Amino acid sequence: MRINTKTGILLLTLAIPVFIWLFLKLFGQNSFDLPVYYSEGVNTEACDATNQAHTVPKFSLQISDSNTISSEFLSEQIVISHFLPDECLESCTQVLENIANLQSVFSKEYALKILTIAPEHYSFEELAHLSKQFNIDPELWVVAKAKQQKVNELQQCGFVLSDYSQNTFVLTDPERQIRGYYNALDSDEVDRMKGEIKILEYLLENFRND
């Protein structure tokens, strides 16, 4: 009798993930969704008001003396973006450590990239040092810089951050639409972002298959 009970518990334990997978497969389209931020436009003091659906505008950032990266980078995959402060101190280091952990979780099998945007006064040598310090994989994580005015415009009117918040992750989809904001120093928020990235991947995959 004990053997049958143990067997039943084992079978139930194995069956639960299968039921969850089937439920998501059959009903997931109606069960999960992520908001599209500013679908009716952006209206802030720093930006020109618009009633059109907002997407991150076109931009060009430097990744070396001779190479740039454009906004097309955001159009090809899901991207986590954030901004470096004027000086990378303790909180900045923690944010970069959290990104390094994300890099190991979301390996190359995911259509996910990470974009770090720095002010112009960071030298490429400093950015290279950060890349080495946090073991940045250039195929997954791009570190770029721009003039301060362009950084401010991107921060305030592109990614719509109310202040120069280097402690915020911004999640965008392949349409350059903003899908989430997360406190980069809060482990619960980072975990929420991980879950919502997977939800977004699921939604995009089902959209492609429809």
Side-chain angles (χ1 to χ4, degrees):
M1 190 68 178
R2 289 181 179 175
I3 294 176
N4 290 337
T5 301
K6 290 181 178 179
T7 302
I9 292 172
L10 177 60
L11 290 173
L12 181 62
T13 302
L14 294 173
I16 288 173
V18 176
F19 289 140
I20 293 173
W21 182 86
L22 287 172
F23 179 82
L24 291 175
K25 190 69 176 176
L26 294 173
F27 306 107
Q29 291 170 318
N30 297 321
S31 301
F32 292 103
D33 201 2
L34 285 181
V36 175
Y37 285 75
Y38 313 110
S39 59
E40 297 182 358
V42 174
N43 185 8
T44 67
E45 292 182 2
C47 312
D48 295 332
T50 173
N51 58 6
Q52 297 180 337
H54 178 74
T55 59
V56 177
K58 293 182 178 180
F59 61 77
S60 178
L61 305 172
Q62 284 186 290
I63 56 177
S64 71
D65 285 320
S66 58
N67 293 314
T68 61
I69 186 171
S70 75
S71 49
E72 288 303 309
F73 176 79
L74 297 181
S75 302
E76 298 171 0
Q77 57 263 312
I78 299 169
V79 179
I80 302 166
S81 300
H82 84 107
F83 292 82
L84 285 182
D86 289 335
E87 189 176 1
C88 192
L89 301 176
E90 184 177 355
S91 62
C92 169
T93 300
Q94 185 178 340
V95 170
L96 293 172
E97 287 175 351
N98 287 339
I99 297 177
N101 291 333
L102 286 171
Q103 181 181 236
S104 63
V105 171
F106 292 97
S107 60
K108 296 175 186 178
E109 65 189 72
Y110 289 91
L112 175 74
K113 301 290 184 183
I114 300 163
L115 175 62
T116 295
I117 302 172
E120 185 182 31
H121 68 76
Y122 279 84
S123 68
F124 289 117
E125 289 75 16
E126 288 177 301
L127 296 180
H129 175 73
L130 289 176
S131 296
K132 184 176 181 180
Q133 180 180 355
F134 295 98
N135 196 29
I136 291 176
D137 181 345
E139 292 187 18
L140 297 174
W141 182 356
V142 174
V143 181
K145 69 176 187 174
K147 292 183 178 180
Q148 188 65 58
Q149 181 180 353
K150 174 56 69 176
V151 170
N152 291 343
E153 289 174 358
L154 271 177
Q155 179 260 320
Q156 295 172 356
C157 302
F159 293 94
V160 198
L161 292 162
S162 58
D163 54 18
Y164 191 67
S165 179
Q166 67 272 15
N167 297 331
T168 301
F169 291 143
V170 184
L171 180 66
T172 54
D173 65 22
E175 301 297 320
R176 304 206 312 271
Q177 299 173 120
I178 296 172
R179 305 304 291 266
Y181 292 95
Y182 313 88
N183 184 339
L185 297 175
D186 186 324
S187 59
D188 290 338
E189 283 280 284
V190 174
D191 286 341
R192 179 171 70 88
M193 182 178 69
K194 292 176 185 177
E196 293 189 353
I197 288 170
K198 292 179 180 178
I199 291 172
L200 183 54
E201 287 181 326
Y202 177 82
L203 293 172
L204 292 173
E205 185 64 29
N206 277 269
F207 177 78
R208 294 187 199 102
N209 293 334
D210 286 343

